[in-house]
Every structure is written in C-alpha cells, then in structure tokens.
Amino acid sequence: QKIDRMYNGEKINCTENRSVLHIALRAARDKVIESDGKNVVPDVWHVLDKIKEFSERIRSGSWVGATGKALTDVVAVGIGGSFLGPLFVHTALQTDPEAAECAKGRQLRFLANVDPIDVARSIAGLNPETTLVVVVSKTFTTAETMLNARTLREWISGALGPQAVAKHMVAVSTNLTLVEKFGIDPANAFAFWDWVGGRYSVCSAVGVLPLSLQYGFSVVHKFLKGAASIDDHFHSTPFEKNIPVLLGLLSVWNVSFLGYPARAILPYSQALEKFAPHIQQVSMESNGKGVSIDGIPLPFETGEIDFGEPGTNGQHSFYQLIHQGRVIPCDFIGVMRSQQPIYLKGEVVSNHDELMSNFFAQPDALAYGKVADQLLNEKVPDHLIPHKTFPGNRPSLSLLLPSLNAYNVGQLLAIYEHRIAVEGFVWGINSFDHWG
C-alpha cells in the first residue's frame, strides 16, 4: 500500500505536505503520474527537452562565451543532494567507452565545500573564457552554494567584465527572482519541483544538466531509462522476486533483529568509487530518524551507518574488522565486463578476472570462515591458529551487473533509492524529509 501511495503521488512526505515523485523524473513521456490532481510528467519532459536543446548548443559551439570562444569546461556548484549524486554518476561514466567518446575535449568539475581550498581546486587550470558555471540551488539561498557562486561570479567578471556573467553562468533553481537578481538570465534557469528531495534529485536538472553538458543528452537519457526500468520492477514485481524490497527487508533484518548497525558498500569497480558517499547521504539522511511518521519516539533504532570503498582497496584497509572483528553486513557489487579491459601477455588471468576472483572470494570467506582443522592441514603453527581463524556466518549480499554503462548505472541508483524507501516503510518513519 505504501509503495502504491508513493506512485499515486499521495503526500507521503506528510511533515512537509509533499508528494515523493523522483520516479516521475525518469518516466516515459506518455506516462501519467499525478501530484495534486495534475500530471507532472509533461513538466518533467518540458525541462528535459530544454536541457537537451541547451546542452546541444553548448556542445556544438553555437553558444559561445563573452569572447567568442566555445565553452568546453563546466563547474557545477552545489552541495549535498545537489552534488553527491551527479558526482557519483559522472565518475561512473568517465571510463565508459561510449560516454568517454562523447566527453572528448570537455571537463566537468564539482564545487561543493565552502572551504576556499575547494574553489581553488575546482578552477585550477581553467580559463574563464571557456568555462560555464552551473549553480544548483533549489531556493538560491543555500549559504555555502551561494558564497561559492558569488566567488565564481567574481572570477568571471574580474577576467571578462560583469556583462559576461549571463554568458557564463546558468542556474538549476525554482527561485527565478533570485536567479535574475544574481545576474543570471532566468531563461537559462532549469526548474525542479518540491516533490523532489535533494538527495533524490540526480535524475532532475540537478544531475541531468551538468551530465548532459559533459556526455550529451542521449547518454544521460539511457541513464534515466535504466532507473525507470527499476521503478517499473519495484512497482509491479511480487515481493519474493522484487530486488529493492528484498534488499530493504534484509537491511531491516540486519539492523533491527540481528542488531548490526552498520553496512559496508563494496563496489568491485573503481568507476563506482563515489557510489558509497552518495548512498551514505541518501540512506543516512533519509532514515536517520528517532520518531515515527506520527512524531512518536521509536522504541527501536532506525537507519544504517553506511561506509565503503571500492574493492580491492577496501580489502587492504578495513576488511580486517569485517572478517575478525565486529559483524558488518556487506553489499558486494560486481560487474561482469570491465569498462576498460586489459589482457597482459604471460599473465594467468586478465586484470578484471583478478578483480572478480576477489569479488567472489570475499563473500565466501565471510560466509564459511576458516576453522582450526583447516589451518592445521595448512601446517600453521599451533600458537598462531587462534589468530588466523575467522568465524564465518557473517551476512553479505552480492549484486552482479552485466556491465557498467549509463543504463546499468541508472538501475543501480534506483535499486538503492527504493531499498531505502522500503526500510523506512517498514520502520514506520518518513524517509523523505530531513531536519539536521
């Protein structure tokens, strides 16, 4: 019922009196998804079409900067949900052959921290003449984002004159008055809606605009279609075969029944290095609640402590604790075909197969452990046996993707978004507001 209420556009975010419709951001053009009795899908596609048209003008060089040069470099300014999701997708696509081909000669950088060091890093080596700044702030009042935006406005106008701002800065915002006051042409503002939470906004203009500038709209559209495929699966598949439902129930089981508060997200793909930081926000900001949806203090703890690193790096870092210290349920994420395969002459296995043998071995070791008898057979000295045993029977799950292209990245994102919703539905909390 709760899933249906979400898909029907009911105001399940009752503390803020809002629908929760990130599914509408990637719905097919002919879908009907209503909020307040109005089909929102045409509005979504109006913005998507506008992004497609604008990004094509920038990429083709028909839109130029103040000195007549093409804009090849983009700095996206935003924080939290306006930054972590787009950064994850950008990092995942950088080494995908199709996306990389489309991004040739272009750069995309993200500026989030109010620390001036982040400003220095994000503009290092860039020329204001060839740079477009995308300011991402729903209200255009987020303190860190607006200070960074003013800093980059100064960088542009200092080099090219104040009139250059309209040519070199655009906005993703709902507050057109403040956008115009800032010096950005409201015609170059891209909207999103209050039924999109920041951490669920990567499929809105927040992510789609910077990613389309870098990779072209057609690649980003595949990403949206991948997410939509999981939206359909989540809504229509019986629970015993429903991936986000099963994953969400496993999380509730691990946290609330077995008492394991943490979860490690372990992608065996360097392209997914920014996945754990993104899910950390989506999960911990959504489900870090102490009261029920009715405002009653909960008699149990909710949410998971999320952390993670790509394999095999994590193995040489914190897996010691996972195998022999505390019990931490693990999500292993693997990819069958590497984005960038290497086959070295004389090596027994390819580099990717070496990576994947680790991916398959780790859950095995967690499940089965190693007992004293096995170590005796391996001629381990008696006094070292207690140090080398590990108990096993530690929970993990594995997701294996066929490849890591834009479509699969969209699927992975949506699986985790809906999994987090399932946890919140079972715990009886509101996963769609945040007050921190």
Side-chain angles (χ1 to χ4, degrees):
Q1 286 170 316
K2 288 181 177 183
I3 295 170
D4 285 339
R5 289 186 64 210
M6 178 165 112
Y7 278 69
N8 294 339
E10 290 181 45
K11 294 189 176 174
I12 62 168
N13 177 358
C14 54
T15 52
E16 298 177 318
N17 197 33
R18 290 173 180 173
S19 306
V20 175
L21 287 177
H22 40 280
I23 55 161
L25 299 171
R26 49 238 188 176
R29 212 183 267 272
D30 55 359
K31 268 256 166 82
V32 177
I33 299 174
E34 294 197 342
S35 175
D36 284 328
K38 175 180 187 250
N39 180 13
V40 299
V41 177
D43 292 348
V44 168
W45 274 96
H46 176 71
V47 174
L48 288 175
D49 289 337
K50 184 176 168 179
I51 291 173
K52 179 173 191 265
E53 191 262 339
F54 179 75
S55 60
E56 281 170 1
R57 282 171 68 197
I58 295 279
R59 288 171 57 84
S60 68
S62 72
W63 171 300
V64 292
T67 61
K69 290 186 176 168
L71 302 178
T72 52
D73 308 311
V74 173
V75 180
V77 185
I79 199 166
S82 300
F83 148 71
L84 288 160
L87 177 64
F88 142 60
V89 180
H90 171 50
T91 312
L93 293 180
Q94 264 179 315
T95 37
D96 168 61
E98 182 196 10
E101 184 59 37
C102 296
K104 269 198 178 139
R106 308 197 65 82
Q107 281 190 76
L108 173 58
R109 299 186 187 180
F110 292 89
L111 169 58
N113 200 328
V114 75
D115 184 341
I117 289 170
D118 206 18
V119 175
R121 285 180 174 180
S122 68
I123 60 174
L126 294 187
N127 177 353
E129 292 181 279
T130 57
T131 303
L132 179 72
V133 175
V134 179
V135 183
V136 185
S137 172
K138 190 183 232 172
T139 58
F140 238 59
T141 58
T142 313
E144 298 95 330
T145 300
M146 295 321 297
L147 180 54
N148 279 336
R150 291 192 297 274
T151 307
L152 292 195
R153 180 178 65 186
E154 186 54 41
W155 177 66
I156 287 164
S157 57
L160 309 173
Q163 76 297 335
V165 170
K167 280 294 209 185
H168 290 263
M169 296 188 87
V170 298
V172 177
S173 180
T174 47
N175 192 334
L176 293 183
T177 314
L178 286 186
V179 166
E180 187 162 22
K181 216 170 150 187
F182 185 87
I184 293 174
D185 184 345
N188 301 324
F190 299 82
F192 58 121
W193 304 272
D194 70 2
W195 41 258
V196 185
R199 58 196 176 276
Y200 295 97
S201 68
V202 61
C203 295
S204 73
V206 167
V208 172
L209 177 61
L211 292 165
S212 295
L213 289 165
Q214 179 69 1
Y215 297 110
F217 183 79
S218 65
V219 168
V220 181
H221 189 224
K222 288 175 187 172
F223 161 72
L224 296 175
K225 282 173 107 158
S229 74
I230 297 294
D231 296 340
D232 294 341
H233 165 88
F234 179 50
H235 196 205
S236 60
T237 307
F239 285 170
E240 64 273 13
K241 284 200 162 61
N242 190 310
I243 297 170
V245 167
L246 293 174
L247 296 186
L249 293 176
L250 284 168
S251 279
V252 171
W253 176 248
N254 286 331
V255 172
S256 299
F257 293 85
L258 301 183
Y260 303 139
R263 166 179 66 172
I265 297 171
L266 309 169
Y268 277 66
S269 168
Q270 191 62 30
L272 294 175
E273 66 176 311
K274 296 296 181 186
F275 185 58
H278 175 52
I279 296 307
Q280 196 175 289
Q281 186 204 10
V282 184
S283 165
M284 292 167 82
E285 200 169 72
S286 293
N287 289 343
K289 303 292 163 66
V291 296
S292 74
I293 204 150
D294 308 314
I296 312 296
L298 294 166
F300 52 86
E301 297 198 81
T302 65
E304 289 161 304
I305 301 161
D306 282 299
F307 71 98
E309 275 294 318
T312 51
N313 295 11
Q315 289 172 206
H316 294 263
S317 169
F318 52 78
Y319 281 36
Q320 172 69 38
L321 181 78
I322 289 174
H323 284 290
Q324 289 189 310
R326 294 169 178 269
V327 179
I328 297 177
C330 297
D331 293 0
F332 292 98
I333 303 164
V335 181
M336 289 187 208
R337 288 187 300 282
S338 176
Q339 289 178 334
Q340 300 284 334
I342 293 174
Y343 301 92
L344 288 181
K345 243 185 152 149
E347 293 288 340
V348 185
V349 294
S350 73
N351 300 38
H352 186 65
D353 285 351
E354 175 85 13
L355 174 74
M356 292 309 287
S357 56
N358 283 273
F359 168 82
F360 291 115
Q362 290 294 331
D364 258 21
L366 283 168
Y368 298 112
K370 202 163 205 181
V371 295
D373 290 353
Q374 290 170 280
L375 293 161
L376 278 169
N377 289 339
E378 291 173 14
K379 307 278 189 287
V380 171
D382 285 6
H383 71 287
L384 288 180
I385 283 178
H387 298 282
K388 291 201 155 202
T389 55
F390 47 106
N393 198 27
R394 296 188 164 205
S396 72
L397 61 90
S398 300
L399 289 174
L400 189 55
L401 303 172
S403 60
L404 197 61
N405 54 27
Y407 187 85
N408 301 124
V409 172
Q411 290 186 304
L412 184 63
L413 174 78
I415 285 170
Y416 273 78
E417 286 179 344
H418 295 318
R419 171 193 191 163
I420 287 157
V422 167
E423 292 169 52
F425 291 156
V426 176
W427 281 323
I429 58 178
N430 184 358
S431 303
F432 305 107
D433 60 9
H434 72 97
W435 308 101

